[in-house]
Amino acid sequence: MSNLPHIRLTPDEYLAAERRATHKSEYVAGEVFAMSGATLRHSLIATNIAAELRQCLKGRDCTVHASDLRVRNAAGNHFYPDVVVVCGEPAYADDHRDTILNPILIVEVLSDSTQDYDRGGKFAQYRQLASLQEYLVVAQTAPHVEHHTRQADGCWLLHETSDLTAVLMLTSIGCQLPLAEMYDKVTFAVANPVEGATP
């Protein structure tokens, strides 16, 4: 994700431009950030997760969206998470009905260019979403998931695992998400460490 130079817009100006654009950009504090293309591993992991969640949520009042659904937080910043789950009636930012305000679960698959931001600044932005109950940060260079869960007091609890036999319990949507399915058919580079992990 790279900053587009010399562009400062209001949220409404950003949305008007984004709806005409041929590529996706995110918006934070008046600045517009162009999104780069995903690697094969990144795409496969996100697709695996979305497929597992869709299967779990069949017949229930929840929908799963992969990468193209725009999310806006309380500060008016806009993002395209890799996977989003919305339960109940979607709350839209405006009559265009293409930007939602009430995701319950968000998943971001890490890449070299965004890993620090996904863990820090972007998570801080997502925490402004009152509806958000769980946030997954998923590595693509090795099996590793950071599972953040909002507690009753508003604090967030972090659980990490690199065990391919582990199963994540997504309590907000009543689903189980096996790491083996998240990383199905994903080939890892030899001795390639988890993004950002301490040796």
Side-chain angles (χ1 to χ4, degrees), residues 1-2 23-25 33-43 67 82 109-114 140:
M1 191 169 68
S2 59
H23 60 276
K24 293 186 297 186
S25 299
F33 298 85
M35 298 183 67
S36 58
T39 65
L40 179 65
R41 270 193 310 234
H42 185 289
S43 177
S67 76
D82 290 316
V109 180
L110 294 176
S111 62
D112 288 341
S113 61
T114 66
Q140 65 166 303

Side-chain angles (χ1 to χ4, degrees), residues 3 7-11 14 26-33 73 75-79 117 125 128:
N3 180 235
I7 296 179
R8 291 195 68 85
L9 303 174
T10 67
Y14 157 78
E26 296 188 331
Y27 172 88
V28 180
E31 297 186 76
V32 177
F33 298 85
N73 72 359
N77 298 321
H78 295 73
F79 306 93
Y117 182 54
Q125 296 287 339
Q128 296 183 34

